[in-house]
Amino acid sequence: MTHATEAEKAWARVRTSLRESAGARLFEQWLKPIELIPGEDRDTIRLALPSAFMTNWVRNHYADRLVLEFKQILPNVRTVQIETRAAARAPVVLAIEPAPVAAPVVEPEVLKPKPPEPAAEPIQVVMKFGVDPSLKPAPAVPVAAPVVMAVPAERPPLDPRYTFARFVVDPSNKVAFNAAKVLAEPGPVRFSPLFLHSGTGQGKTHLMHAIGHAFLEHNPHAIVLCMSAERFMYDFVASMRARDTHAFKQRLRGADLLLIDDLQFIAGKDATQEEFFHTVNEIMAAGKRLVISADRCPQALEGVEARIVSRMSVGLVADIKAPDLVLRRTILDRKLVDLPDMRVPTDVLDLLASRIHANIRELEGALNRVVAYAQLTGDTIDLDFAVATLGEVLRGAQKRVTIDEIQKLVSAHFELKPLDLISARRARAVARPRQIAMYLAKRLTTRSLPEIGRKFGGRDHSTVIHAVRKIEELRDSDRDIDAAVRVLMRELEG
């Protein structure tokens, strides 16, 4: 039984399992449109969806589940690639049988406005490999075979979303971004390795995949390998068990660009570190490109040998700092470009950017979740809908702000005493700051309306509701009030 047949049978079983666990409505909406892309790579299953938005949703919600489902049926599967259907067609051009080199080879070109001249492509292929152009097309059949076999065999599993054009640059990541672009440029290698480090979900993997895309764009026939340190370890151990470490070494050391993500996972693995050290030495000695990423700088990697740390420090070490509020907001705006049919209000985007501040991946996932829930329920996206949809996410990411802290900061901002906010005074100079403090208490704490009212001099919950609605109206019409609220929220959220 071929791998393609096994994959088809496995996919049928996975679909049945997903239908039972996800429920009919969710399955019909998101999972039923998934199609299996045939292939003979036993390590990888490729799935396609009809739109980029559906692809993003399935990646964010079902990527791990799909890997586990396929592994239970096909233990050799290590990766499940989820692509848009348009992107999935591209490799088909490379997989066409070489048998006549004439018109059938250029069959995909019929999508272009003008069909190509029948002899144009065969002449280019023949000239490329140095064969006399006067030869007839038929003898050129053996020459086309290397094109079909060599290119797809070394294509790394790069995410098509992760390119330099889609990376949002600001001072927190500018050095890492520029270094990545320089390393991907053709010509002599200016530095190697490039070591990228940051916390989880802040753009390391994005930059690594962008380097791979740009390098292949300049060098289409280059050998690029992209893997996690965990995958490096797994493949190395498998090669030792199969007594075929030579093939493993040749594969990695033959790469023109080697990308290793999450180096911290080989900490304490002595045999793996030994092989990793020699691989790094060979790549560097050959003047090739090497990119490593980790969650901390080389010197802070515990359980990693000093000689590896020394090699990592020889090239360029670039860190990516946690995104600030402006960058988080810009990232959400960029993300909305992928969702042209969805309208997300500004206050919802402001809420996400202000509450989810440590991890860009979580930030994008929160936006995807709000949009997906709106599509599934048919509800309009507004602030209340976002809070209800992301309740536990917002509470988990939120800095613990107390009403006492809010009262103290608001009174200082408006040059009042904290007692003024809980007093019975109704002068506008006191009433307006009190309403702002109530609004902030509703936005930034988990206290109920009656609890907030009690903290403001024993006021009724209806007074709190009126205050919240009043400040929401004033933020749309009064720039001074809106600016004051923004400043106070920034200070309270750190």
Side-chain angles (χ1 to χ4, degrees), residues 338-354:
D338 296 333
L339 310 170
D341 299 330
M342 297 302 301
R343 181 186 174 277
V344 182
T346 300
D347 58 353
V348 172
L349 297 175
D350 289 340
L351 174 70
L352 297 181
S354 63

Side-chain angles (χ1 to χ4, degrees), residues 168-217:
V168 182
V169 185
D170 91 327
S172 67
N173 56 38
K174 190 173 183 179
V175 172
F177 176 80
N178 289 336
K181 290 197 73 173
V182 168
L183 190 73
E185 292 174 352
V189 181
R190 293 172 59 178
F191 52 82
S192 183
L194 170 61
F195 189 96
L196 302 172
H197 67 94
S198 73
T200 301
Q202 293 179 7
K204 300 186 302 293
T205 302
H206 188 141
L207 282 181
M208 294 185 75
H209 285 229
I211 291 171
H213 283 302
F215 187 72
L216 284 171
E217 186 177 340

Side-chain angles (χ1 to χ4, degrees), residues 34-37 45-48 66 70 80-83:
I34 302 175
E35 293 182 359
L36 176 70
I37 302 175
I45 296 292
R46 296 176 62 206
L47 304 174
L66 286 166
F70 274 105
V80 175
Q81 293 183 21
I82 305 170
E83 313 166 7

Side-chain angles (χ1 to χ4, degrees), residues 167-403:
F167 191 86
V168 182
V169 185
D170 91 327
S172 67
N173 56 38
K174 190 173 183 179
V175 172
F177 176 80
N178 289 336
K181 290 197 73 173
V182 168
L183 190 73
E185 292 174 352
V189 181
R190 293 172 59 178
F191 52 82
S192 183
L194 170 61
F195 189 96
L196 302 172
H197 67 94
S198 73
T200 301
Q202 293 179 7
K204 300 186 302 293
T205 302
H206 188 141
L207 282 181
M208 294 185 75
H209 285 229
I211 291 171
H213 283 302
F215 187 72
L216 284 171
E217 186 177 340
H218 295 306
N219 308 277
H221 301 296
I223 299 175
V224 176
L225 293 180
C226 178
M227 63 177 65
S228 66
E230 187 179 21
R231 174 66 183 268
F232 179 96
M233 178 180 67
Y234 181 91
D235 286 356
F236 175 59
V237 171
S239 70
M240 287 196 299
R241 288 175 177 169
R243 298 183 179 180
D244 192 18
T245 56
H246 178 73
F248 173 81
K249 296 174 190 285
Q250 290 297 107
R251 175 171 168 254
L252 266 70
R253 299 175 191 183
D256 300 300
L257 170 63
L258 179 59
L259 306 157
I260 304 289
D261 202 4
D262 292 327
L263 182 64
Q264 68 271 10
F265 283 112
I266 66 169
K269 309 294 191 301
D270 293 341
T272 302
Q273 290 190 40
E274 178 77 18
E275 179 58 32
F276 180 81
F277 173 77
H278 292 301
T279 298
V280 168
N281 271 353
E282 290 290 334
I283 292 285
M284 294 173 64
K288 297 179 178 180
R289 290 165 169 81
L290 174 65
V291 185
I292 309 291
S293 82
D295 61 357
R296 65 204 76 175
C297 67
Q299 291 74 17
L301 289 170
E302 298 179 2
V304 175
E305 294 180 6
R307 56 180 180 169
I308 293 179
V309 171
S310 176
R311 291 295 187 279
M312 297 299 98
S313 305
V314 166
L316 178 63
V317 178
D319 70 322
I320 303 174
K321 298 179 177 63
D324 60 15
L325 180 61
V326 175
L327 178 58
R328 296 196 298 272
R329 188 64 174 77
T330 306
I331 289 170
L332 290 176
D333 288 336
R334 179 70 63 86
K335 183 73 175 174
L336 281 179
V337 175
D338 296 333
L339 310 170
D341 299 330
M342 297 302 301
R343 181 186 174 277
V344 182
T346 300
D347 58 353
V348 172
L349 297 175
D350 289 340
L351 174 70
L352 297 181
S354 63
R355 293 286 190 91
I356 304 173
H357 43 75
N359 190 318
I360 293 174
R361 194 175 294 128
E362 288 182 7
L363 182 66
E364 293 182 340
L367 178 61
N368 286 336
R369 182 172 176 178
V370 169
V371 170
Y373 273 54
Q375 287 195 329
L376 290 171
T377 62
D379 293 336
T380 301
I381 298 176
D382 57 20
L383 195 59
D384 290 337
F385 178 82
V387 171
T389 303
L390 300 172
E392 73 281 3
V393 175
L394 297 179
R395 285 191 292 272
Q398 182 180 6
K399 176 187 173 184
R400 300 301 178 189
V401 178
T402 66
I403 295 178

